[in-house]
Amino acid sequence: MQQRDKLYEQFLENPRFVQWAIGQAPEDDGYWESLVKNDPIGQEVLEQARLTILAIQGRPETLSKQDIQDRVQQVLSRAKHQEALTRPKIIQVQYPVFYRWVVAASIVLLLGLCWFTYTQYTKQYSTHQVGKTNSPSDLSVQSDQLISIANTDRPAMHVLLPDGSSVVLRKNSRVRYARVFVGAKREVYMSGEAFFEVTKEPRKPFFVYANGLVTKVLGTSFTIKAHQKAEQVIVVVRTGKVAVFAQTDPKANVLQNNLELTGMVLMPNQQATYERTDARLTRTEVKTPNVHPSFDFKATPIATVFSSLEKAYGVSIVFDREVMANCSLSATLGDEPLQKKLQWICTILEATYQVSGQQITINGKPCQ
């Protein structure tokens, strides 16, 4: 336990780790992943430290040791005060540092201890079409084993993938994927335009196949434009980094079967353009990539927060406006999928949510 505590504090006090945790050093992905590559406990502590940093200050620039100590004292004092109000007797327990931090991060983010529940999609969207299709030769599973979702008439449609990743399908776009991601890869096939927020699984790369171009990621957000009749396929990176390569590349099998991001690697605000006629790839800088809105909230009314999510993901969010009229949110929601965003928000509000197709129902209570 002491070793876990020490590692946890080392992560939190490391400026380089803080910069990476808040998304300002995506080039360090490989460094931190390799650091805990063969250490399950280290992987768990690293992820908890990353979430703690985001929970405490949203997206801090630095987090000194004194900052950490001050924040711990602040939240523990608040926890003791809250406990005194709810219990006739106070039983003092000395928790290990690691668990004090979990409590601390929760209190700062949640404004009190709370529970949240959520339900996975139990049914696919009514627009799902499962059946044999004319599939490209690169499919690693039979086409009749794929779920196919098409957005024919809406500006945006949200799709939840089996690993929790989000796909926002634009109008006249389609995505196909297996019911369960098995084996060493997560594979998706698409046409049209879609924005991806991929759940991080460094040991299980995520692949998108689109009109001859392969996009490989470990966990990040990006947009792909790959309309069937278009001469180009375009990939624009919002956060993290991705690798792209042509399916006809002589090294395609090698590039797909390792855990590293190799090929043409794109960083945030970079774009790859694939010319389909001659399988040519070029990389350019994009000053203001209009791929997806950001979610930086400061005492923002919850109705405005939900409206922003509705527009970005093409969903409908139902909640009691009277009950939650005084609720607001101060948080920075990054490139995590919609499901994660809902978990964070509902935890903060001491609320729960349920998903049914493109409708999300929030059950909350009044905010002081």
Side-chain angles (χ1 to χ4, degrees):
M1 186 63 68
Q2 290 181 351
Q3 183 179 0
R4 178 190 289 248
D5 294 345
K6 184 177 180 181
L7 179 60
Y8 193 69
E9 287 188 313
Q10 286 175 346
F11 280 136
L12 294 174
E13 295 173 8
N14 188 323
R16 181 179 178 183
F17 178 80
V18 173
Q19 292 299 309
W20 173 78
I22 63 177
Q24 294 183 359
E27 66 277 6
D28 279 351
D29 285 355
Y31 171 79
W32 294 110
E33 289 163 5
S34 63
L35 193 66
V36 295
K37 184 175 181 180
N38 298 315
D39 182 4
I41 293 178
Q43 293 173 8
E44 177 186 345
V45 175
L46 181 144
E47 180 62 13
Q48 184 59 54
R50 185 183 72 85
L51 293 176
T52 297
I53 289 171
L54 293 177
I56 289 177
Q57 283 188 313
R59 289 186 180 273
E61 300 207 352
T62 60
L63 198 63
S64 68
K65 186 172 183 178
Q66 187 60 49
D67 290 334
I68 294 171
Q69 293 173 345
D70 291 345
R71 190 72 65 161
V72 170
Q73 293 304 316
Q74 176 186 356
V75 296
L76 289 180
S77 296
R78 186 176 299 171
K80 290 179 181 179
H81 177 68
Q82 186 173 14
E83 185 179 6
L85 296 177
T86 57
R87 293 186 179 183
K89 293 183 180 181
I90 299 177
I91 301 175
Q92 294 184 349
V93 179
Q94 183 64 35
Y95 292 99
V97 174
F98 179 82
Y99 293 102
R100 291 207 312 270
W101 262 105
V102 174
V103 175
S106 300
I107 296 172
V108 172
L109 179 65
L110 315 183
L111 304 180
L113 299 173
C114 60
W115 294 90
F116 70 87
T117 60
Y118 64 92
T119 58
Q120 298 277 7
Y121 287 113
T122 56
K123 295 182 179 179
Q124 299 298 337
Y125 303 123
S126 59
T127 53
H128 284 194
Q129 300 174 357
V130 182
K132 294 184 177 180
T133 59
N134 295 323
S135 57
S137 59
D138 61 89
L139 291 180
S140 63
V141 294
Q142 296 297 318
S143 60
D144 60 358
Q145 296 175 336
L146 296 176
I147 293 171
S148 180
I149 301 176
N151 180 11
T152 59
D153 56 1
R154 304 178 57 167
M157 173 186 287
H158 177 251
V159 180
L160 176 67
L161 297 181
D163 64 337
S165 298
S166 283
V167 182
V168 180
L169 277 183
R170 304 303 178 192
K171 187 177 179 180
N172 297 324
S173 300
R174 179 184 296 272
V175 65
R176 289 181 295 158
Y177 56 92
R179 292 183 180 276
V180 179
F181 290 140
V182 296
K185 302 177 184 177
R186 297 172 285 167
E187 297 179 299
V188 173
Y189 310 89
M190 65 149 291
S191 63
E193 180 178 349
F195 175 72
F196 292 82
E197 289 174 320
V198 177
T199 300
K200 292 183 180 179
E201 288 190 47
R203 307 297 299 175
K204 195 169 185 175
F206 186 100
F207 292 87
V208 182
Y209 302 93
N211 292 350
L213 183 69
V214 181
T215 302
K216 176 182 178 182
V217 305
L218 303 179
T220 186
S221 61
F222 56 96
T223 285
I224 297 180
K225 299 179 182 179
H227 294 282
Q228 289 291 351
K229 296 182 179 180
E231 297 180 357
Q232 298 176 330
V233 179
I234 296 174
V235 178
V236 183
V237 179
R238 183 188 179 198
T239 62
K241 57 184 177 181
V242 310
V244 294
F245 54 90
Q247 287 181 256
T248 56
D249 190 313
K251 299 180 181 179
N253 287 335
V254 175
L255 296 173
Q256 290 186 75
N257 292 323
N258 62 51
L259 296 178
E260 304 298 325
L261 288 180
T262 53
M264 178 180 286
V265 177
L266 304 176
M267 305 299 286
N269 301 337
Q270 289 187 336
Q271 170 181 306
T273 302
Y274 175 67
E275 302 291 345
R276 298 176 65 186
T277 54
D278 56 3
R280 180 167 52 90
L281 264 173
T282 57
R283 177 173 47 205
T284 56
E285 299 290 330
V286 182
K287 292 184 178 179
T288 56
N290 185 23
V291 296
H292 204 64
S294 58
F295 300 99
D296 296 307
F297 303 114
K298 294 182 179 179
T300 305
I302 202 62
T304 303
V305 173
F306 290 156
S307 177
S308 298
L309 294 176
E310 286 180 325
K311 292 177 182 177
Y313 290 95
V315 296
S316 173
I317 299 179
V318 178
F319 65 103
D320 192 318
R321 292 179 177 270
E322 283 190 26
V323 170
M324 305 182 73
N326 295 325
C327 295
S328 62
L329 182 71
S330 293
T332 297
L333 306 178
D335 63 348
E336 62 272 357
L338 176 60
Q339 184 180 11
K340 282 290 185 183
K341 289 183 172 73
L342 291 172
Q343 290 177 19
W344 280 106
I345 293 172
C346 286
T347 303
I348 294 170
L349 299 177
E350 300 185 44
T352 63
Y353 75 88
Q354 290 183 328
V355 180
S356 177
Q358 297 293 296
Q359 180 173 298
I360 298 166
T361 302
I362 309 289
N363 295 305
K365 56 186 180 181
C367 300
Q368 300 299 325

